[in-house]
Amino acid sequence: MHRLIKRLFTIITLLMVLSLAYALYGRDVVPANWHVFLDPVSFGVIAVFTIWVAGWVYHRHFRYRDLSLEKIDEMDGFDFERFCAYLLKRNGYRHITVTQESGDQGVDIIATKDKVKYGIQCKRYNGFVGNRAVQEVWAGHQYYELDGAIVLTNSTFSDSAQELADELGVQLIDRDGFRKMLRRLPS
């Protein structure tokens, strides 16, 4: 699906270039009776391209604008992972990859910050996040041969999860840290 969208965008971009060339230079060269057909087609292509790019900019930069923690608490797991990837990007992480939904080996997102490659587990919870999340991300970070591991949640961690994370060197980002990361969203 993603490949199809890229191809469509490439085609529309090429048509846009041709439409602009026609509008700026070609009208003088083309016979006058063709203007009846080419003018509306050129305008239509330019309009479609403009709308597509505006939609892409909105989706890429403003879809999570002014998002509250209450709305985040209502997201399903996959949407939460996508949101966390966007949030990480807004907080300086690069080369962000969301792993497959199942069989991800405990790592939902792989991202790099300051030349350190992290495996990140995203947990949208209502209660305490326990040891299991720390164990999974630690195992996943070993599996993918990453430099660090992070558990990111909209909730809080149990005492035993914090103990285990300290012992293993796993970073924990709880609701307070999550709230601080939200400050980087466009408003």
Side-chain angles (χ1 to χ4, degrees), residues 3-4 6 8 12 17 41 45 50 58 73 75 79 86-87 91 150-151 168 174 184:
R3 192 175 285 163
L4 175 67
K6 279 182 118 174
L8 277 174
I12 289 177
V17 169
V41 169
V45 168
T50 304
Y58 174 80
D73 293 341
M75 289 181 175
D79 286 341
Y86 176 78
L87 188 61
N91 281 274
I150 299 172
V151 181
L168 296 176
D174 63 0
R184 296 278 189 154

Side-chain angles (χ1 to χ4, degrees), residues 60-73:
R60 183 94 176 179
H61 298 288
F62 297 108
R63 66 181 160 168
Y64 296 122
R65 183 178 171 178
D66 298 327
L67 193 64
S68 66
L69 270 172
E70 291 75 28
K71 292 283 187 189
I72 294 167
D73 293 341

Side-chain angles (χ1 to χ4, degrees), residues 64-76 80 83-84 87 123-126 152-156 173-183 185:
Y64 296 122
R65 183 178 171 178
D66 298 327
L67 193 64
S68 66
L69 270 172
E70 291 75 28
K71 292 283 187 189
I72 294 167
D73 293 341
E74 295 170 5
M75 289 181 175
D76 68 21
F80 183 70
F83 171 70
C84 287
L87 188 61
K123 289 292 184 186
R124 188 197 52 77
Y125 269 35
N126 291 328
L152 177 62
T153 186
N154 65 322
S155 186
T156 55
I173 301 174
D174 63 0
R175 193 169 184 90
D176 291 334
F178 198 78
R179 185 177 285 119
K180 288 177 186 173
M181 291 176 77
L182 287 174
R183 292 182 192 152
L185 293 180

